[in-house]
Amino acid sequence: MLSVTAWPEKLKLIYLLLAIAWRLHAQLPPDQDIRSILEERIDRLHQGVGMVVGIVDRSGRRFVSYGNFGADDARPVDEDTVFEIGSVTKVFTSTILADMVRRGEVALGDPVAKYLPPHVKMPQRGAKQIALLDLATHTSGLPRMPADFYGDYTLENLFQFLSQFQLPRNAGSKFEYSNLGAGLLGQALARRAGMDYEALVRARVTEPLGMANTGIALTPAMREHFAPGYDSTRDPAPNWDLPVFAGAGALRSSARDLLTFVAAHLGYVESPLAPAMQSMTKVRRKAGDGYEMALGWIVTNRHGRQIFWHDGSTFGYQAFAGYDAKAGVGVIALSNMDVDVSDIGMHLLDPSAQLETLRPLVADEEKPDPAFAASPEFSGLLERVRSGSISVRLADGRVIDAVLPDAVLPDTADLAAGVIAAQYHLADRVQAACRPIKPFYDAKAFLHQYLELKSLRLLRPATPEELAGEVALLSWHTGENLLKRPDPVRAGDDAAAANEWERVRRVNVEYLSKLPDFVADETAWRYRSSMTSRRWRLLDTIDLEIALRSHPGRGSPWTRRNIRLNGLPWNRPLPFVRWFTFGIELNAFDPECTTKIEFVERQEVSGKSLLVYRFSSPPGGCFLTWENGGNRYNPARTGRILVDAARGNIIRYEEEASGYPAKFGIDWSTMVENWGNVMIGESSWLAPVSAELIVRMSNGNLLRMSVEYKNHRHFEASTKITFGKER
C-alpha cells in the first residue's frame, strides 16, 4: 500500500505523464488543417479523387475525409469507404507469420521449402536456404516479380519459376524489395494452415479484430462502399486481382478497419494478436540509409522518433499505415487515385517530415490570362520554318510553334512557308501575332492553347551572337528547316583521334543501313520514388512488341503494338511513359549534327578493348524532344559512348539531360542503353538489349523505367489488298 507521504511524489509523476501525453497530442494538427491538405491535393492539384485520413492516439480516434467516390459519383468518401490497400497487405501477412510463430506452428528460421509441394525446388545459394524470415524482411534474394509474370499467372507458373531461378546472392544477406517473396510467404503460411490466404486472414486477423470491411473478395456490404480507382492521370483504373501474390497486395479495407489494425499494434485494442504484434518490432534487418525492416513493417529512425510504417499502391489506389509507439500515435491514409499519400501519413506522425511539393496534374483553366487567350503575341528569334508551321524561341528558352493558316487554294501553307523563308533569316528577331484554335498546355499561361499565325513582323536582324547561338542549338536535316542552312559545325581534335572517330562513325552508320527490319519483345518495368523516401516502388509492368524498320522513309522507324499492362490487354495511352527510342543514340554519329565528341580513354573490360568517348549536345540538338504536360523541349545532353575498339560498333550509351525550362516539370533525366549480339533469322546482329531511364520531376518525384528487349526476329507484314493490272 502506498503511504500518505508518498502521494505528492506520485501525483507529480502522474501530472508529468499527463503533460507529456498532452504535449504529444498537441503536436497533431486539428481536423481543419488536415482537411486543408486534402482539399489542396484534390481541388487545386488534382492529385486525388477521394481521400480519408484516420488518427488514433491515447484520446481516441478521429477521421478526416474529403472528395468523392468518382468523377460520375458524387457520394462523399468517409471512414467506411472501401479502398484497395496494396502492399499494406504485407503487414497483415507478417502479422499472421508472427502469430503462427507464437502458436508454435512455424518458426522464423524454417525453410520456406518445408511448406511447399515436394516437386518445387526452391533456389538456393551456398548452404543457407531461404527462410520465412527472409521473405518477411525482403532479404530472400528473390526478384521483385517473376520474369515470366503475366495476367493469368498461376501458382504452378510460380513454382516453375522458382525451380529455375538462380539466386544472385546468399539468402538473408541483402535487402531487395520483393512482391514475389511476400506473395510466396502468404502461400506458404496458407498451406501450413490448410486454407487459402483470404480465409487465413479472416480467421487470424479480421474476425478477431472485428474488421468486417476488410478482405479480398468484396462482400455485398463492401461492394456497396467500394470506391472505384483512378490512375495517376485521373483515368479509370482496373482493379488489382492477383491471387497468386495475394499476400503481397490483394486486400481491400476501409479507414475504420485499417485504423483498428494500427490501433491493435499500438495496444489500444485487446486481442489475442497482441503478443504476436509486439514481437514483430523486435526483428530487424538493414534495408537502406535510415531504414530497417521489422516483420512486415518498414522502420524509420529520425529526430528521435521511431516510426513503423508501410505504404501500398495498386493501379488506382494508394494507402499508408504507420505508428509511433513511443508517442502512442497511429495514422492511416487512403486514396482512390494512384498518387502517393505516404508523405501525408509521415507528416502527421513526424511534423518535421515535409509534405511533397506537387505540381498540378492539369492546368487551372478557370482563371486564364484574358489577354493571352484572346490574342497571344510573342517576340523572339525565328528558329524554324517548316511546311505548315514556324517556331520562335523566346527569351526564357521556350519554343512557341504556330501553324500557318489554311486557305482555299491547295498547298497554301507550303506557299506561305516559302514566302517566310525567302524574306526572313535564321535568328531574326520577330513579332508573331497568333490566334488560339485548339487546346494545348502552355505552362506560362496555365492554359491549353494551339496557335495559328496571324501576322509576322521583323523587329531587327539577328546579331552575330544570336546567329551563332541558334546555329549551336539546332540540328539540321534535309527538309526540316526552310531557313538558310549554315555550314555544318564539326568538332575538331587531334588528327589521330579524328581519324579514329571517323572510322567509328562510318562503321555505325553503315551498320545501321544494313540492319534488317525486325521485331523484338519489349518488357518495361516502371517504378516511382521520391528524393525523401529513396525507395523504388513498382508501378506496373508493360509487355509489347516493337517493330523496327531500318529504312522507314517518312515517319518513326519504330512502332509498338500488342501492349499488355500487367498482363492484360491495354488500348489506351499510358501515363508517364517515355519510350526508349531504340537506336536514336546513333544520331551522335551524324556529321551534320552539332554534337561535340571527345576521345577519353581506352579501357579493358572482360578481355575486350573499348574506346570511350564523351559527347555533349546543345539544346535542340539531334536527339529527340521531350514532351511533358503538352510542353515540348529538346534539352542539352552530355554522356559517354562506349565502342568496341576492334569492330568499331557501339555497345553502350550513357546520357544525362539537364537545363529544362523552369516550368517544364522536369529537372533532369539520365538514360543508359546496352547493345548486344542477337540472332535475327540465321545471322547475328548488334542491337539494343536493355535500357534504363530515370527522370527527376520538378515536384521531387523520381520515375524510373527499366526495359529489356528479347526474341529479336524478322519483321513480317502483309496486306489484304489485291493488286492487278488494268484491263
Side-chain angles (χ1 to χ4, degrees), residues 64-79:
V64 180
S65 58
Y66 189 75
N68 304 323
F69 270 57
D72 301 321
D73 190 340
R75 287 181 296 165
V77 296
D78 59 23
E79 57 267 33

Side-chain angles (χ1 to χ4, degrees), residues 330-533:
V331 172
I332 64 94
L334 297 172
S335 171
N336 63 331
M337 182 175 172
D338 184 22
V339 176
D340 196 10
V341 296
S342 60
D343 65 316
I344 297 176
M346 278 294 188
H347 178 69
L348 295 177
L349 288 170
D350 178 5
S352 68
Q354 298 297 312
L355 293 170
E356 293 281 358
T357 302
L358 300 178
R359 185 169 178 262
L361 178 64
V362 295
D364 182 1
E365 297 187 37
E366 296 180 0
K367 298 180 181 180
D369 183 339
F372 185 91
S375 181
E377 290 195 10
F378 308 97
S379 64
L381 304 182
L382 185 61
E383 184 172 272
R384 296 181 194 270
V385 176
R386 303 178 185 85
S387 175
S389 69
I390 69 167
S391 299
V392 177
R393 183 179 295 276
L394 307 186
D396 62 6
R398 288 185 304 140
V399 176
I400 300 298
D401 288 335
V403 298
L404 301 176
D406 294 328
V408 177
L409 296 176
D411 299 324
T412 304
D414 288 346
L415 178 61
V419 170
I420 293 173
Q423 295 185 16
Y424 293 84
H425 300 87
L426 178 68
D428 281 350
R429 181 164 292 279
V430 297
Q431 182 83 21
C434 306
R435 72 178 184 90
I437 53 176
K438 288 182 181 179
F440 89 96
Y441 182 65
D442 181 273
K444 185 173 183 179
F446 292 103
L447 187 67
H448 285 72
Q449 293 275 342
Y450 190 67
L451 305 176
E452 180 184 79
L453 184 66
K454 290 169 50 180
S455 65
L456 189 67
R457 181 166 61 93
L458 177 67
L459 298 179
R460 60 169 174 78
T463 66
E465 293 76 17
E466 289 171 337
L467 180 59
E470 282 299 314
V471 169
L473 286 173
L474 294 178
S475 60
W476 295 88
H477 297 282
T478 303
E480 191 179 71
N481 198 340
L482 299 182
L483 296 174
K484 183 180 178 181
R485 170 183 166 181
D487 293 333
V489 178
R490 301 174 186 269
D493 262 322
D494 63 82
N499 290 336
E500 180 65 23
W501 174 252
E502 179 59 26
R503 179 184 75 90
V504 169
R505 185 197 67 78
R506 185 176 63 254
V507 166
N508 284 275
V509 171
E510 291 178 357
Y511 186 85
L512 186 62
S513 69
K514 297 176 181 178
L515 188 67
D517 297 344
F518 65 88
V519 173
D521 295 330
E522 181 176 16
T523 300
W525 295 271
R526 301 194 299 170
Y527 305 86
R528 182 167 58 201
S529 182
S530 68
M531 297 302 290
T532 54
S533 72

Side-chain angles (χ1 to χ4, degrees), residues 577-588:
V577 169
R578 168 66 178 181
W579 290 117
F580 287 95
T581 48
F582 205 82
I584 197 66
E585 63 276 7
L586 292 180
N587 281 350

Side-chain angles (χ1 to χ4, degrees), residues 565-581:
L565 178 66
N566 295 310
L568 302 176
W570 190 264
N571 299 315
R572 293 186 287 133
L574 289 160
F576 299 127
V577 169
R578 168 66 178 181
W579 290 117
F580 287 95
T581 48

